[in-house]
Amino acid sequence: MKLELSSFEKALASLDEALAEYDRTQSQFVKDACIQRFEYTYELAHKLLKRQLEAMSPNPSEIDQMSFPDMIRTGAERGLLSQSWDHWKYFRDARNATSHAYNEKKANEVFVRIPAFRDEAAFLLARLQERNAE
């Protein structure tokens, strides 16, 4: 089974574009755009990881019933992720923080996590593209 990756590819490219623009301008407006793009890229990464693990599993319902930490551990064990649960918890906490009312301090805490997430998302995308090519 091949996964449809175009939305994830576009989301990651959009995140890259926003990060590059922030590096150039240091604009608060662009920082906010980076955070928003992080949110939807994170959601797509999570969904596609789950779909790939289900496709690789002899019992897909087993994946569906996994806790998030177990799914991340399984993804790392199967070579889809380069980072462990500790890193993904860091990303998940950042994503959850974006759900609350805007707070500049929280926004800054989230923002500093985005480059590491971007690298992990790019790793996941590359692994998913390799699986699709098989």
Side-chain angles (χ1 to χ4, degrees):
M1 174 181 118
K2 290 188 178 191
L3 295 179
E4 171 52 50
L5 301 176
S6 63
S7 293
F8 190 37
E9 292 165 341
K10 288 176 188 172
L12 189 55
S14 177
L15 180 58
D16 284 339
E17 179 183 6
L19 287 169
E21 182 67 15
Y22 180 79
D23 285 344
R24 191 178 69 72
T25 66
Q26 302 293 300
S27 162
Q28 184 62 43
F29 177 77
V30 176
K31 182 187 275 188
D32 293 345
C34 290
I35 292 169
Q36 184 176 27
R37 291 172 184 198
F38 159 72
E39 289 176 323
Y40 63 78
T41 305
Y42 175 89
E43 295 301 328
L44 286 168
H46 175 227
K47 288 177 185 175
L48 288 169
L49 173 63
K50 183 178 177 185
R51 287 183 190 147
Q52 183 62 55
L53 289 173
E54 287 172 343
M56 295 167 71
S57 177
N59 185 0
S61 65
E62 206 173 74
I63 303 297
D64 195 43
Q65 295 172 8
M66 278 185 180
S67 67
F68 186 75
D70 287 341
M71 186 178 68
I72 295 301
R73 287 183 193 102
T74 301
E77 288 168 4
R78 296 192 182 166
L80 297 171
L81 303 174
S82 68
Q83 299 295 326
S84 66
W85 163 240
D86 294 342
H87 285 87
W88 275 87
K89 182 178 185 326
Y90 184 69
F91 304 146
R92 187 178 200 190
D93 289 347
R95 172 59 184 99
N96 289 339
T98 66
S99 303
H100 304 294
Y102 187 82
N103 172 306
E104 189 172 348
K105 182 180 179 213
K106 281 190 185 262
N108 289 333
E109 290 170 1
V110 169
F111 183 77
V112 299
R113 299 175 189 198
I114 294 174
F117 169 77
R118 184 260 165 236
D119 293 345
E120 182 66 2
F123 184 91
L124 173 61
L125 177 59
R127 298 297 81 72
L128 295 175
Q129 289 169 329
E130 287 171 5
R131 298 278 176 172
N132 273 357
E134 292 176 354

